[in-house]
Amino acid sequence: MNTPLSRLPSDPRSALLVIDMQYDFMPGGALAVAEGDGLVPLLNRLGARFRNVVITQDWHPAEHISFASSHAGRDPFDSITLPYGPQTLWPDHCIQGTRGAELHADLDLAHAQLILRKGCNAGIDSYSAFVEADRTTQTGLAGYLKERGIDSLFVAGLALDFCVAWSALDARAAGFNTWVIADACKAIDLGGSLDKAWRDFQAAGVVRIDSAELTV
Ligand SMILES: [Zn+2]
């Protein structure tokens, strides 16, 4: 049974939040998500139905704290403890100004009103588009959306179990009606992270939806 929508994509109070559709997350990229590039046509079709579109861009300085290369003796996908808590270490990715950090050129969302760059702080990671990994530092996105009268977010992109998940959960925590468009995301699935994401969504009231259910 379909979940009834309290907001339609075309509603001015709705926004599509497109997470991290950048070359480093595409097949062949530094932190590739399988079939990530396959989402582009669907995201373009979805985006065309939304009046409001916001895009995020992972945007790290070189030697970012989330890079394994910044920690002697550590490898990508190791987990370490930082002053703000556990941190998975990643290959160097989405370094400011590099091609890997660019949005996929076929992403056709020219009407997007905001490209929010995150993870810019050298000492704090930020999977979330709303709150950095210290769980304190705000990106300002919640305020931006609320000041524009947007109360409902449809989240899609990469990766479902990391940046999409943290963004959707923080959106819900900030009071937005939040849907994750399941077929418009791809996951990394590291150590059970995908199952955890779906459990966390359910517990938080983030609603799973498929793109076919978004009719108007
Ligand atoms: Zn990153």
Side-chain angles (χ1 to χ4, degrees), residues 163-181:
C163 293
V164 169
W166 285 53
S167 297
L169 291 166
D170 283 350
R172 185 76 198 106
F176 295 94
N177 305 313
T178 309
W179 291 265
V180 169
I181 308 173

Side-chain angles (χ1 to χ4, degrees), residues 198-212:
W198 288 122
R199 287 196 306 272
D200 289 347
F201 292 158
Q202 191 159 31
V206 172
V207 181
R208 176 179 181 152
I209 193 172
D210 285 315
S211 60

Side-chain angles (χ1 to χ4, degrees), residues 20 25 31 58-60 64 66-67 90-91 93-94 118-119 125-127 163:
D20 294 3
F25 297 127
L31 182 42
D58 211 29
W59 196 251
H60 299 308
H64 188 251
S66 76
F67 298 167
W90 305 105
H93 66 278
C94 297
K118 63 186 180 62
D125 204 4
S126 192
Y127 298 152
C163 293

Side-chain angles (χ1 to χ4, degrees), residues 16-30:
L16 178 67
L17 185 56
V18 177
I19 304 292
D20 294 3
M21 289 295 292
Q22 298 163 261
Y23 284 113
D24 270 344
F25 297 127
M26 302 294 159

